Amino acid sequence: MSTIITELEKYAHKLVDDRLVVGAGGNLSMRDEKNLYISPSGFDLKDIKRDDWVPVNIETGKVNGQLKPSSEVEMHLECFRHNKEIKAVLHAHPTYSVAVSSTGENIPPMFPDFPAMLKDIAYIDYIIPTTHLLANAVAKVISSKQAIVMRNHGVITVGSTMKEAYFYMQLIEEAAKVYAISKTVGNPQILTEKECEDLRNLSSETYRSDLLKKQ
């Protein structure tokens, strides 16, 4: 469990330092056998101490800690319940990702890393946060996805390690940023599906993907 808390602390700080969240926004969790450990409600992610992370039983949703878990705990629980391979869940509000997706557009592939590493992204329309309605919408798609972009809200990424989930978050935001900037300059040139598929089949990209799954 100490390793899990160390990882959660590390990436909580990175979310703030990389400006993927503001104030008390965003939340993250990791699986520890039958429980998940999640950020407490109302805390700035950099202010969370080692004993503040809240254990919640994945099957029952019972909270075992003294603090209240993140208000998005139901969304995290559904991720872990619907895919046993998921060990880490991140939810952030990256500026460019929210901006692009709120127009109704998807974030397009414009450079190799994005389609090569992130193969399965879902987009869902706005649903009021912290509700069972949002958790249910996430539950319907998360079993086969690496990320969910929630329009006018934020992004969820998952992984077999927190390193993997965090990389996906960075990659989505970078892709959205490149697209948004390119739109101000001219007509963006989007990679074709054939070009994306060729990238996904590169052995070098498979190797990089495997590395992300190791702590």
Side-chain angles (χ1 to χ4, degrees):
M1 192 267 282
S2 61
T3 301
I4 288 174
I5 298 301
T6 298
E7 286 290 286
L8 287 167
E9 287 184 321
K10 174 183 176 180
Y11 285 96
H13 281 245
K14 286 176 72 67
L15 281 170
V16 177
D17 291 341
D18 289 346
R19 299 182 179 181
L20 295 168
V21 297
V22 176
N27 33 78
L28 63 165
S29 65
M30 289 187 72
R31 185 195 296 269
D32 181 31
E33 297 182 356
K34 295 182 178 180
N35 292 326
L36 64 79
Y37 281 83
I38 190 168
S39 46
S41 180
F43 278 59
D44 185 299
L45 293 182
K46 273 195 167 183
D47 292 338
I48 302 173
K49 304 297 189 293
R50 289 190 69 83
D51 292 337
D52 293 337
W53 296 92
V54 184
V56 182
N57 184 278
I58 293 171
E59 182 179 355
T60 67
K62 180 181 178 182
V63 177
N64 298 311
Q66 298 300 312
L67 294 174
K68 183 178 179 181
S70 165
S71 58
E72 298 285 17
V73 64
E74 289 296 330
M75 190 167 66
H76 287 253
L77 286 167
E78 294 297 348
C79 291
F80 291 117
R81 288 167 178 165
H82 282 79
N83 187 341
K84 302 302 182 184
E85 299 301 313
I86 293 175
K87 306 297 183 185
V89 178
L90 281 178
H91 171 219
H93 308 135
T95 303
Y96 284 92
S97 300
V98 173
V100 171
S101 65
S102 68
T103 67
E105 293 191 45
N106 292 355
I107 301 167
M110 294 185 62
F111 57 90
D113 279 0
F114 185 51
M117 303 297 285
L118 255 173
K119 301 174 178 65
D120 296 299
I121 304 173
Y123 290 80
I124 59 177
D125 290 335
Y126 178 78
I127 299 173
I128 188 168
T130 77
T131 63
H132 72 280
L133 296 175
L134 179 57
N136 290 343
V138 168
K140 290 178 181 178
V141 296
I142 194 58
S143 62
S144 62
K145 304 301 178 185
Q146 297 159 298
I148 300 174
V149 178
M150 301 174 288
R151 301 189 191 280
N152 301 88
H153 181 176
V155 178
I156 302 169
T157 56
V158 299
S160 55
T161 64
M162 187 58 77
K163 178 171 67 174
E164 183 178 28
Y166 194 77
F167 178 72
Y168 293 154
M169 185 69 71
Q170 289 180 301
L171 201 51
I172 288 174
E173 178 64 354
E174 184 67 13
K177 184 176 182 180
V178 168
Y179 179 60
I181 293 173
S182 71
K183 290 275 282 186
T184 69
V185 177
N187 183 32
Q189 299 301 299
I190 311 301
L191 295 177
T192 67
E193 183 53 40
K194 174 64 166 57
E195 290 168 332
C196 291
E197 193 59 33
D198 288 344
L199 288 164
R200 295 182 188 116
N201 290 329
L202 289 174
S203 60
S204 58
E205 300 299 351
T206 302
Y207 175 74
R208 291 176 64 204
S209 182
D210 288 342
L211 286 179
L212 289 171
K213 300 181 186 302
K214 301 176 181 178
Q215 291 286 7

